[in-house]
């Protein structure tokens, strides 16, 4: 029996670009030198980016990143909320990047060639669902007016201080998303 070898980073990058093009993806920003792919998407309530990067030996990363920025007087609260969400999740890394964008990162081992594209699709879907589960809630803080801040802050303090509440919300959201498809 012949075992299919693990792909190199360059092979995985090329197969991913070809596979996404075959799925109809047209507006991809490609960086072949750094083996990166970036696409913009428009969801129901959000415009966001999906990045795929083959960055270290036998590993790749999928990142969903908001195009909106947290730059008002709620940034500390949003940062704290994102840190709370992140501590309750072992599959994805939730963070606010240096530019004020909300990100969900998923790092995965590059599987054997025969199952690579299917596993990549599963990782992308899981990452996007995790992003969508929290992006709407966090985006509310971006454009919130000062007169509503106290009420919103009060509502979200319960989430921030409760134990494992964010995982329950995420699971409910993921179930809702799966039922819509």
């Amino acid at each position: 029996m012949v075992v299919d070898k693990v792909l190199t980073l360059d092979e995985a990058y090329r197969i991913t670009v070809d596979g996404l093009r075959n799925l109809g993806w047209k507006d991809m920003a490609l960086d072949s030198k750094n083996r990166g792919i970036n696409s913009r998407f428009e969801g129901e309530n959000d415009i966001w980016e999906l990045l795929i990067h083959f960055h270290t030996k036998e590993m790749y990363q999928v990142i969903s990143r908001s195009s909106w920025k947290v730059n008002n007087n709620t940034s500390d609260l949003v940062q704290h909320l994102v840190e709370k969400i992140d501590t309750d999740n072992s599959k994805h890394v939730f963070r606010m990047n240096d530019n004020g964008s909300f990100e969900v990162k998923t790092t995965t081992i590059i599987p054997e060639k025969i199952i690579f594209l299917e596993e990549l699709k599963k990782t992308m879907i899981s990452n996007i669902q995790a992003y969508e589960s929290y992006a709407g809630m966090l985006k509310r803080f971006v454009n919130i007016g000062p007169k509503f801040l106290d009420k919103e802050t009060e509502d979200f303090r319960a989430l921030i201080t409760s134990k494992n509440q964010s995982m329950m919300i995420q699971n409910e959201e993921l179930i809702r998303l799966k039922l819509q498809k």
Side-chain angles (χ1 to χ4, degrees), residues 74-134:
T74 61
S75 61
D76 289 343
L77 181 61
V78 172
Q79 179 64 36
H80 184 69
L81 182 57
V82 170
E83 288 170 6
K84 176 67 176 165
I85 293 166
D86 188 51
T87 60
D88 290 340
N89 193 301
S90 61
K91 189 173 183 178
H92 308 288
V93 175
F94 297 84
R95 71 182 206 107
M96 297 302 294
N97 70 20
D98 294 338
N99 296 325
S101 294
F102 172 58
E103 290 184 340
V104 178
K105 292 184 179 186
T106 308
T107 303
T108 307
I109 295 171
I110 297 173
E112 295 177 357
K113 185 176 183 177
I114 197 165
I115 60 170
F116 173 69
L117 279 177
E118 281 305 310
E119 292 300 313
L120 175 69
K121 287 179 199 175
K122 288 177 187 175
T123 301
M124 290 169 55
I125 290 168
S126 173
N127 181 275
I128 291 166
Q129 288 176 334
Y131 171 81
E132 288 180 338
S133 293
Y134 292 106

Side-chain angles (χ1 to χ4, degrees), residues 78-90 92 94 102 129-135 137-138 155-175:
V78 172
Q79 179 64 36
H80 184 69
L81 182 57
V82 170
E83 288 170 6
K84 176 67 176 165
I85 293 166
D86 188 51
T87 60
D88 290 340
N89 193 301
S90 61
H92 308 288
F94 297 84
F102 172 58
Q129 288 176 334
Y131 171 81
E132 288 180 338
S133 293
Y134 292 106
M137 175 179 63
L138 295 174
D155 292 344
F156 283 101
R157 284 201 198 284
L159 174 63
I160 291 170
T161 58
S162 65
K163 188 174 183 175
N164 296 326
Q165 181 69 23
S166 59
M167 276 304 284
M168 290 177 4
I169 289 171
Q170 181 182 9
N171 289 339
E172 289 172 13
E173 288 293 314
L174 290 176
I175 291 167

Side-chain angles (χ1 to χ4, degrees), residues 33-109:
K33 181 181 175 190
N34 294 314
R35 296 177 300 273
I37 302 165
N38 185 347
S39 289
R40 289 180 65 85
F41 293 92
E42 188 168 343
E44 290 179 23
N45 303 314
D46 196 5
I47 296 174
W48 51 279
E49 296 176 299
L50 181 72
L51 298 91
I52 303 169
H53 184 222
F54 298 90
H55 65 295
T56 61
K57 186 179 180 181
E58 299 178 352
M59 301 289 283
Y60 70 94
Q61 191 171 72
V62 176
I63 302 171
S64 292
R65 177 173 67 196
S66 68
S67 59
W68 45 268
K69 311 278 189 241
V70 175
N71 57 9
N72 59 19
N73 58 351
T74 61
S75 61
D76 289 343
L77 181 61
V78 172
Q79 179 64 36
H80 184 69
L81 182 57
V82 170
E83 288 170 6
K84 176 67 176 165
I85 293 166
D86 188 51
T87 60
D88 290 340
N89 193 301
S90 61
K91 189 173 183 178
H92 308 288
V93 175
F94 297 84
R95 71 182 206 107
M96 297 302 294
N97 70 20
D98 294 338
N99 296 325
S101 294
F102 172 58
E103 290 184 340
V104 178
K105 292 184 179 186
T106 308
T107 303
T108 307
I109 295 171

